[in-house]
Amino acid sequence: MPDDSRANPSKRHLKDVSPAGAPVAAPARPHFVDSVGVGPEGPGTIVHVIGARPNFVKMAPIVSEMARRQAFRQVIVHTGQHYDTRLSDDVLADLDFPECDRFLNVGSGPHGEQTGKVLAAFEQVLLEEEPVAVVVAGDVNSTLACALAASKLGIAVAHVESGLRSNDWSMPEEINRVLTDRLSDVLFTHSPEGLDNLVAEGILPGRVHYVGNTMIDSLRRCERRARERRAWEASGVPEAGYVLVTLHRPSNVDDPERLAEIAGELVGLAERWPVIFPIHPRTRARLTDSGQLDVLELAGVRCIEPQGYLDFLSLQAGAGAVLTDSGGVQEETSALGVSCFTLRPNTERPVTLTHGTNILLGDDPAEIASVGPASWSPTPCAIPLWDGHAAERIVDVLVANYALNRFAGAALTS
Ligand code: UD1
């Protein structure tokens, strides 16, 4: 097959995988410096994509570290996938996130529509900003849409939190993960199995950088302030004597029968322990429609609004146990040393099972009966590279690939 990747940068990934899917020979250079603009006109532009709550937390340390180094002009694009004050503005404010440069205002909708709206709007931003690279994080619809728009224009994509796999193709996030990694030039993993997962899919190891977890960078930066808030006191429950619950996955909340079963188990849980349940808008809508919100409140479950970043971190730090289906919460509880029970049949974050405090409950809501502060005493060991410095390692790689090479090229051609 002729190598046309230089003539048409948007095809540059095609050479990585043979028709049979086996990795081919390592490239002469590990990174795609081709996409770096050359010229004496000052630092190149990096576009950062944010859009949904978890990505604000993952991106904040990178934006902050990059600003400190002053190696790039930064443009922050908020897709508007999350738009509620409580899911977006409050979280961004707690993280001291700088003002966004562009707001795409895509809002909610079916997956195809939401992804398509981001794709079209983000393409326009790229045409105007002409970045040397786009940084995306995680596995939400905005992540995939922006990676696709950039890739089609031949703009380099850097993916933060690459290589996670649940191997559960029924999860929208799993589709987003696999496709985003395939489109990415630089892949940042936060745990060792990420590299194995990527290599198994034909990604060249030279593009993968094991850097650690930027979500834990944010946590360490905010932990003291969060603990001082003692957010559990607003619900009148004792420190370490309550269970914190979060549930928003379509597989748990979109099927009315399953949601009713889970709600029944939460009523049982509330008979044993105080329960605080900050309710995602998607879950609240389903519980309200079915009348189960009233049932939970009558049973004493503290049904509260989604919390800002600091208050939610405070609630996790003060909890005796956490019941969740969120990926980020599995990681944060592991870093905080708080017992986590995950209501899912699988996790794309196995390091939280082997090194952290997480246990998989599986698919059966009846397993919620085993949740409680006294039911398990975790002894977490430190997860390698979850040390609060992942963003520094990420910016090192981005500078090496997209800033230093750029200036080297400018010097050569001037
Ligand atoms: C999304 C991500 C999920 C992530 C979660 C964090 C995808 C496929 N899913 O799920 O991986 O864990 O964010 O919260 O990208 N809604 C509001 N206000 C908002 C946003 C959403 O009311 O600001 C409601 C709408 O009814 C919407 C529903 O929540 O239809 C779902 O929102 P959506 O962004 O599609 O997915 P999440 O469930 O938030």
Side-chain angles (χ1 to χ4, degrees):
M1 190 168 62
D3 181 1
D4 63 351
S5 59
R6 271 163 213 280
N8 182 352
S10 69
K11 287 192 178 174
R12 62 187 185 275
H13 306 294
L14 296 179
K15 68 179 176 183
D16 292 340
V17 181
S18 71
V24 294
R29 287 179 296 177
H31 306 297
F32 287 97
V33 293
D34 296 7
S35 58
V36 177
V38 172
E41 67 277 4
T45 299
I46 290 262
V47 168
H48 300 286
V49 175
I50 56 174
R53 184 171 54 178
N55 292 355
F56 308 146
V57 186
K58 291 167 198 171
M59 292 297 293
I62 299 172
V63 170
S64 151
E65 177 63 15
M66 209 177 262
R68 196 181 67 75
R69 305 255 192 119
Q70 298 190 332
F72 299 101
R73 170 180 167 256
Q74 303 198 76
V75 173
I76 298 166
V77 179
H78 188 324
T79 65
Q81 175 171 347
H82 282 172
Y83 44 87
D84 278 3
T85 307
R86 287 177 181 277
L87 292 192
S88 179
D89 303 12
D90 293 355
V91 178
L92 289 168
D94 278 354
L95 290 161
D96 295 323
F97 216 104
E99 198 70 21
C100 299
D101 301 288
R102 308 276 195 131
F103 184 66
L104 306 184
N105 201 20
V106 298
S108 298
H111 286 270
E113 183 183 313
Q114 189 180 54
T115 309
K117 277 188 184 169
V118 177
L119 179 68
F122 190 63
E123 181 176 59
Q124 197 51 45
V125 172
L126 293 177
L127 291 170
E128 288 164 21
E129 298 289 353
E130 298 184 347
V132 295
V134 169
V135 184
V136 297
D139 53 17
V140 304
N141 288 340
S142 298
T143 307
L144 171 61
C146 293
L148 184 54
S151 187
K152 292 255 183 180
L153 289 172
I155 296 167
V157 177
H159 185 204
V160 176
E161 198 190 80
S162 175
L164 299 187
R165 294 293 181 268
S166 66
N167 297 311
D168 178 353
W169 206 245
S170 70
M171 290 178 73
E173 292 83 0
E174 183 73 354
I175 298 171
N176 293 341
R177 285 179 202 121
V178 171
L179 296 178
T180 301
D181 282 337
R182 189 70 188 86
L183 296 167
S184 296
D185 301 89
V186 177
L187 300 96
F188 294 116
T189 57
H190 77 29
S191 39
E193 74 280 357
L195 176 63
D196 301 336
N197 292 336
L198 293 167
V199 168
E201 291 173 13
I203 307 271
L204 293 166
R207 290 208 244 140
V208 182
H209 301 267
Y210 174 32
V211 291
N213 192 336
T214 59
M215 193 169 241
I216 305 307
D217 291 8
S218 285
L219 182 150
R220 294 295 177 223
R221 193 168 299 175
C222 297
E223 185 176 354
R224 189 183 50 78
R225 275 189 294 155
R227 285 186 187 278
E228 282 169 6
R229 287 191 172 213
R230 304 179 65 81
W232 56 89
E233 287 179 351
S235 295
V237 299
E239 183 172 5
Y242 63 93
V243 177
L244 176 68
V245 175
T246 82
L247 296 166
H248 74 279
R249 295 260 165 229
S251 56
N252 278 330
V253 306
D254 283 2
D255 171 18
E257 264 179 47
R258 181 171 175 80
L259 186 60
E261 250 182 278
I262 292 173
E265 292 296 334
L266 293 181
V267 168
L269 183 63
E271 285 165 10
R272 301 188 295 280
W273 299 102
V275 174
I276 302 181
F277 187 10
I279 308 185
H280 186 286
R282 155 189 219 112
T283 311
R284 182 174 286 275
R286 309 284 190 277
L287 288 170
T288 306
D289 290 350
S290 62
Q292 277 150 353
L293 192 61
D294 294 338
V295 175
L296 289 175
E297 280 176 340
L298 267 177
V301 174
R302 277 86 166 166
C303 297
I304 61 176
E305 292 298 322
Q307 301 293 290
Y309 178 65
L310 288 172
D311 280 338
F312 187 69
L313 200 53
S314 182
L315 287 175
Q316 287 187 87
V322 176
L323 169 66
T324 193
D325 58 10
S326 151
V329 172
Q330 294 171 51
E331 295 180 357
E332 289 170 339
T333 47
S334 283
L336 291 166
V338 172
S339 308
C340 180
F341 298 83
T342 299
L343 187 62
R344 283 179 43 190
N346 51 52
T347 178
E348 60 289 329
R349 292 160 161 94
V351 74
T352 62
L353 304 174
T354 55
H355 290 62
T357 60
N358 188 20
I359 20 177
L360 273 184
L361 284 183
D363 226 5
D364 184 358
E367 291 297 322
I368 292 174
S370 67
V371 173
S375 54
W376 185 54
S377 173
T379 50
C381 47
I383 300 178
L385 299 191
W386 291 25
D387 57 1
H389 299 287
E392 291 157 43
R393 292 185 279 267
I394 286 173
V395 176
D396 283 345
V397 174
L398 293 174
V399 167
N401 279 5
Y402 302 115
L404 295 182
N405 284 309
R406 186 169 194 272
F407 293 129
L412 285 174
T413 54
S414 59

